Amino acid sequence: MLEKVAESISRQELLAKGDRVLVAVSGGVDSCVLLDVLNKLKAKWNLHLAVVTVDHGLRGKASKGDVGFVERLAERYGLPVYAGSFDVANHAKKHKISIQSAARDVRYKFFRETAVAHRCTKIITAHHADDQAETVMMRIIRGTSTRGLTGIRAKRLEDGIFYIRPLLEIWRNEIEMYAKIQGIRYREDASNASLKYIRNKIRLQLFPELASGYNEGVKSALLQLSQLAREDESYLEELAYARFTEGVTPAGAGRLKVNCEHFVESPLPLQRRVITLILYYLCGHTIQWEQVHIENIRSLLVSSSPSGRLSLPGGVSAWREYNDAYVSVSQPIAAKTVSLPPQFVLSKELLQGALKLSVEPPGFAFRLEAEVTLGVPPRPTDAWEAQFDADELSGSCIYIRTWEKGDGFRPFGMRGTKLISDVFVDAKVPKHKRMTWPLFCIDNEIAWVVGIRRGQQAMVTDKTQRTLVLRALRLS
């Protein structure tokens, strides 16, 4: 199984060399096997592992026992462990949501806070192939779209943190067999046998019935459906993004203007996806809205009436003014409390020899490939690569940070300084992306607005003996 997981990680580029990884461990067989596998593979990617676990306060002594078990397990592996305890029942009551939704909310909030606090680039969970099949079936039963059929993603970016699922191609019986052969101890969660949860009913009742009476490969069929839906959805998202950029423009803080004539020309599937992009642009997520909300906005945009107004959850409003429609949010992303990525200092080893480094700074949606080469390499072909005289950087602090109001820098080929905010405007960087846009700095100066423009520091000349080559790759 180690080889199978390693191949999946490499093929899908789930991990990069030197990643600082937070592994979510509940104490069950899935997460205990995940931790063992990652511990055995960590040398391959030079991973820095840490463990995170949560007591949801739902099973009394049993859940406290799970946390204690995970803490001892992490100690045996020699790994740091971070534990959180929460009153999920009270959270569910306060926010009027289900226990399962409340548990997920507090769990993932703690995961993210822990990852940011300890500079972890990725959070890894133990979702596997059976979980994928159950998720797709559950969404079919409840009603879903093509997007819903894509199921759980192996790599998902949310609020600047990547969530990774390296076991998604591994079946539960393979995990249990691995645990048996390797002698891995784990805890049993009695709630997994409760039929009051729909996921458990699907696993314990529906799948056995479908397998015995209809199709013994029903779970494999659902995984194939999920894969095909992901491929279709990826193509449709590309088309929708093109329509979004052509027909939607900013109209002030937290507000977008939609050209209704342009919108109506799009096929129905693209119309719905454009609306989803609008909500994501304004709010940074689309969790609060259901299909009925998407359809309400769509009806407003395609209506023959020159006016109309509606309100949606999350402080979102939409209204029509003749051929233009506006969608706004009461609290724009930039005005919300945002947990900014920490300053990321690049390894000093970069300047000590001709070596390569690949890192994904936590909180930034990009990977940085760095290499010190002898002499002068070919000039960069775009703004996503920058070159610096490595010897001029000797003794300097080189790091990645985010934008602060008032920031300026000296652009290459230009006299004087220019505000970074003006650079963002010229490059048409959306406002909600500016707060986490990476800036490459040398000591106290900004030397490269990544992907946009290089500064005047440590320029490469024909006298340069060693060149620091940086290449940024955007991640999605």
Side-chain angles (χ1 to χ4, degrees), residues 6 54 71-72 76 179 186 194 232 266 288 314 323 373 458 471:
V54 171
E71 289 175 333
R72 293 189 296 273
R76 287 201 296 273
Y186 55 88
S194 172
D232 289 352
S266 299
Q288 287 179 280
N323 189 47
T373 64
R471 181 79 188 169

Side-chain angles (χ1 to χ4, degrees), residues 6-58:
E7 188 278 330
S8 179
I9 290 173
S10 297
R11 172 169 37 84
Q12 300 180 80
E13 298 184 339
L14 302 183
L15 295 173
K17 294 281 187 182
D19 270 343
R20 296 177 63 87
V21 171
L22 196 63
V23 187
V25 181
S26 66
V29 62
D30 305 333
S31 59
C32 288
V33 165
L34 170 68
L35 183 61
D36 187 77
V37 167
L38 290 173
N39 192 62
K40 289 174 178 174
L41 293 176
K42 67 180 180 181
K44 182 178 178 67
W45 282 278
N46 189 28
L47 302 177
H48 303 274
L49 301 179
V51 174
V52 63
T53 189
V54 171
D55 174 5
H56 299 95
L58 296 172

Side-chain angles (χ1 to χ4, degrees), residues 293-307:
H293 302 127
I294 304 295
E295 289 301 324
N296 286 341
I297 296 177
R298 197 187 72 80
S299 296
L300 179 72
L301 299 181
V302 302
S303 173
S304 58
S305 173
S307 62

Side-chain angles (χ1 to χ4, degrees), residues 133 137 171 206-212 214-224:
M137 178 57 77
W171 295 102
L206 181 58
F207 276 166
E209 175 67 20
L210 291 174
S212 63
Y214 298 88
N215 177 8
E216 62 181 13
V218 61
K219 290 190 289 187
S220 295
L222 288 168
L223 258 62
Q224 182 183 45

Side-chain angles (χ1 to χ4, degrees), residues 408-463:
F409 89 129
R410 297 181 291 127
F412 173 69
M414 174 180 164
R415 291 183 178 180
T417 62
K418 186 168 185 173
L419 289 173
I420 298 298
S421 56
D422 291 337
V423 175
F424 286 152
V425 170
D426 292 345
K428 296 182 173 57
V429 177
K431 287 185 178 180
H432 73 279
K433 290 186 177 182
R434 297 175 190 177
M435 297 301 291
T436 55
W437 196 272
L439 305 176
F440 176 77
C441 301
I442 302 172
D443 294 326
N444 295 320
E445 288 191 292
I446 298 170
W448 180 30
V449 183
V450 176
I452 300 177
R453 196 161 185 180
R454 192 215 194 277
Q456 299 177 18
Q457 298 82 358
M459 295 299 299
V460 174
T461 69
D462 56 3
K463 297 181 180 179

Side-chain angles (χ1 to χ4, degrees), residues 4 21 29 35 47 83 110 126-127 160 208-209 237 252 262 281 296 308 315-316 333 361 374 391 422 428-429 461 467:
K4 190 174 179 180
V21 171
V29 62
L35 183 61
L47 302 177
F110 181 66
H127 293 88
E209 175 67 20
E237 284 178 351
H262 183 276
Y281 181 100
N296 286 341
V316 172
I333 290 177
L374 297 177
D391 293 314
D422 291 337
K428 296 182 173 57
V429 177
T461 69
T467 303

